[in-house]
Amino acid sequence: MLLQKETTRRKFLLGSLLALPLSDMVFKGLTAAQAAEMAAPELVDYKPIFFSADEWQFIMAACDRLIPAGGKGKAPGALETNVPIFIDQQMHGDIGDEIYMQGPFDVHAPATMGYQIPFRPQQIYKTGIRLIDVWCQQQHQQPFHELSTADKDAVLTQVQKNDINFAELGEGSLKGSQFFSELLSDTKHGYLSDPMYGGNKGMKAWIAIGFPGARASYTEWVKQHNVPYPLGPVSLLGQRA
């Protein structure tokens, strides 16, 4: 069942977490992080709030290629850590409300002139996904999410380099590289953020990179270079890996 608009991502995630007896699971031998991972939504069962079904397919496929599973040290990928859920929750929220949108906008201005896109992040996603899928249909006769792994990587590279010209597809206010930057930034944030925001399920990304999370103090380890940090991460809600 889809959530109502007024439900915030934090309430949604906390509600999902508190719906299960975490303390009971911890006492049965699970860590709080493992219990929290079980409480987090399963990606295959999650119903997106902001994205349409077709857009969700794109987000899932693109995130999977930006941070694929089995990287260095067999690190978890974007799908294993619920990154798409993080992005969906962010776009459903009030992100971008602080951006001044009265213009005038000069889309050809140098980067030093600041934000010159007449779209909030939500519109960047909707526009970028639509244009890329149009291009993929023209060139491959398939939407992005149905392409081979190699073709997906090639398309994302072309988007990043502006080799897929959004202006030729009818959109003169947004470049492919701008959409790619938004997507890549949000994917990184979802991968490395605190689990309470929907991504980094089970603190897997933090565990993989040895990040201590929200521990109260670890100053004694700051100057100990090339020494593995022996303690697992702690989330903002006090979950421990």
Side-chain angles (χ1 to χ4, degrees):
M1 180 176 67
L2 293 181
L3 298 180
Q4 298 299 315
K5 178 66 176 179
E6 61 269 17
T7 301
T8 66
R9 57 183 179 275
R10 181 171 295 190
K11 287 181 180 178
F12 162 69
L13 291 164
L14 287 176
S16 299
L17 185 65
L18 297 177
L20 295 181
L22 297 184
S23 59
D24 290 346
M25 290 193 286
V26 173
F27 289 139
K28 290 179 181 178
L30 294 174
T31 67
Q34 291 170 326
E37 180 178 347
M38 293 176 65
E42 288 292 336
L43 189 58
V44 294
D45 298 326
Y46 178 79
K47 303 298 183 184
I49 304 169
F50 173 77
F51 293 108
S52 69
D54 289 340
E55 292 165 347
W56 184 241
Q57 294 273 23
F58 178 97
I59 291 295
M60 294 269 284
C63 287
D64 185 41
R65 297 314 307 149
L66 292 176
I67 306 181
K72 185 177 181 181
K74 296 184 178 180
L79 300 189
E80 293 175 78
T81 51
N82 279 3
V83 168
I85 293 179
F86 169 87
I87 297 176
D88 185 61
Q89 290 287 316
Q90 290 290 311
M91 293 304 109
H92 175 65
D94 57 4
I95 188 170
D97 283 359
E98 77 286 357
I99 299 175
Y100 183 79
M101 299 298 294
Q102 298 304 309
F105 297 97
D106 182 357
V107 295
H108 303 294
T112 54
M113 296 298 291
Y115 195 88
Q116 295 288 333
I117 306 173
F119 299 144
R120 289 193 171 93
Q122 292 88 340
Q123 296 166 292
I124 291 176
Y125 272 102
K126 294 281 186 180
T127 303
I129 292 173
R130 175 178 57 80
L131 295 176
I132 294 170
D133 267 344
V134 166
W135 187 90
C136 288
Q137 289 285 5
Q138 291 175 351
Q139 301 298 320
H140 299 279
Q141 293 72 54
Q142 290 178 311
F144 175 82
H145 72 272
E146 293 183 1
L147 299 179
S148 68
T149 296
D151 284 341
K152 287 175 186 172
D153 290 349
V155 168
L156 290 175
T157 299
Q158 288 173 285
V159 173
Q160 182 184 22
K161 295 180 177 180
N162 290 317
D163 289 340
I164 296 178
N165 192 323
F166 281 7
E168 292 179 355
L169 297 171
E171 178 52 66
S173 298
L174 181 68
K175 295 179 180 179
S177 58
Q178 293 168 325
F179 167 78
F180 183 87
S181 294
E182 183 75 29
L183 174 62
L184 179 61
S185 176
D186 290 342
T187 300
K188 290 178 180 179
H189 290 159
Y191 191 70
L192 297 171
S193 67
D194 190 273
M196 71 184 296
Y197 296 108
N200 194 11
K201 183 180 181 182
M203 293 182 271
K204 292 177 183 176
W206 288 357
I207 293 170
I209 65 174
F211 180 64
R215 283 190 174 274
S217 175
Y218 53 92
T219 55
E220 67 273 18
W221 289 93
V222 172
K223 295 183 179 180
Q224 297 190 46
H225 303 295
N226 300 316
V227 178
Y229 184 69
L231 303 176
V234 178
S235 75
L236 291 174
L237 294 179
Q239 302 149 4
R240 296 172 181 266

